[in-house]
């Protein structure tokens, strides 16, 4: 499709395609707010940098962070956690009952958990997972550590996408 082909076919431009990925760095941003849900953009890699985590590392990060947030005291407010197709981060969708500062702390805590995780990856058996052989714990830990180096100390006033 050409740049305008989507519009020519009656398709709307989705919100994530309006973000300027040339200025976006690692961090935590509010992607959108819909009704009582807030979507957090957890950007673990600078877009278009040429260095991306393996699918196994992304998959393992998904298992670890999703398990962590759904086991946290805020579990009732967790709607979804999963990877972006571009392999530069994840989306965490929370109910708006969670304060922005608590959301940031939940994200940072989940990535600290991932960075220090040892043992069997939750949900990584053939019975529990549709691609159970594609996991990379060492890669997930590296991704979490790299993200934390950029995101530790993140504050509410930094949740807006850069322009």
């Amino acid at each position: 499709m050409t740049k305008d082909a989507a519009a020519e076919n009656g398709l709307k431009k989705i919100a994530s395609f309006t973000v300027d990925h040339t200025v976006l760095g690692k961090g935590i941003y509010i992607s959108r707010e819909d009704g009582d849900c807030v979507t957090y953009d957890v950007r673990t890699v600078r877009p278009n940098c040429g260095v991306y985590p393996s699918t196994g590392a992304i998959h393992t990060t998904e298992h670890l962070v999703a398990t962590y947030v759904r086991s946290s005291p805020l579990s009732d407010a967790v709607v979804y956690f999963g990877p972006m197709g571009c392999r530069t981060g994840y989306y965490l969708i929370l109910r708006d009952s969670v304060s922005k500062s608590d959301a940031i702390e939940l994200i940072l805590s989940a990535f600290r958990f991932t960075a220090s995780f040892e043992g069997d990856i939750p949900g990584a058996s053939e019975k529990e997972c549709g691609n159970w052989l594609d996991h990379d714990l060492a890669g997930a830990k590296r991704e979490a550590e790299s993200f934390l180096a950029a995101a530790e100390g993140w504050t509410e006033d930094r949740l807006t996408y850069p322009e």
Side-chain angles (χ1 to χ4, degrees), residues 17-154:
F17 295 161
T18 67
V19 175
D20 185 348
H21 287 73
T22 65
V23 297
L24 189 58
K26 294 178 186 179
I28 304 166
Y29 308 97
I30 292 179
S31 173
R32 52 187 299 139
E33 297 184 55
D34 300 289
D36 69 339
C37 291
V38 179
T39 301
Y40 290 88
D41 175 331
V42 182
R43 197 63 64 146
T44 59
V45 175
R46 182 173 175 83
N48 302 308
C49 68
V51 179
Y52 307 96
S54 68
T55 57
I58 292 167
H59 189 193
T60 300
T61 300
E62 176 195 14
H63 276 239
L64 292 172
V65 173
T67 299
Y68 182 90
V69 299
R70 289 188 178 114
S71 300
S72 77
L74 298 174
S75 64
D76 288 344
V78 175
V79 176
Y80 172 79
F81 178 81
M84 297 175 182
C86 61
R87 297 176 30 215
T88 63
Y90 304 84
Y91 288 116
L92 173 64
I93 303 174
L94 298 174
R95 300 279 179 211
D96 65 2
S97 58
V98 177
S99 72
K100 290 174 176 50
S101 61
D102 285 347
I104 292 168
E105 185 51 38
L106 177 63
I107 293 164
L108 294 174
S109 295
F111 277 83
R112 288 183 205 116
F113 169 79
T114 300
S116 64
F117 186 82
E118 298 292 334
D120 294 334
I121 300 161
S125 72
E126 184 175 16
K127 184 176 181 179
E128 300 166 306
C129 178
N131 194 6
W132 70 287
L133 294 175
D134 188 19
H135 281 280
D136 177 4
L137 179 57
K141 292 171 78 160
R142 282 191 306 274
E143 181 184 18
E145 290 166 0
S146 176
F147 168 71
L148 288 167
E152 284 288 6
W154 207 263

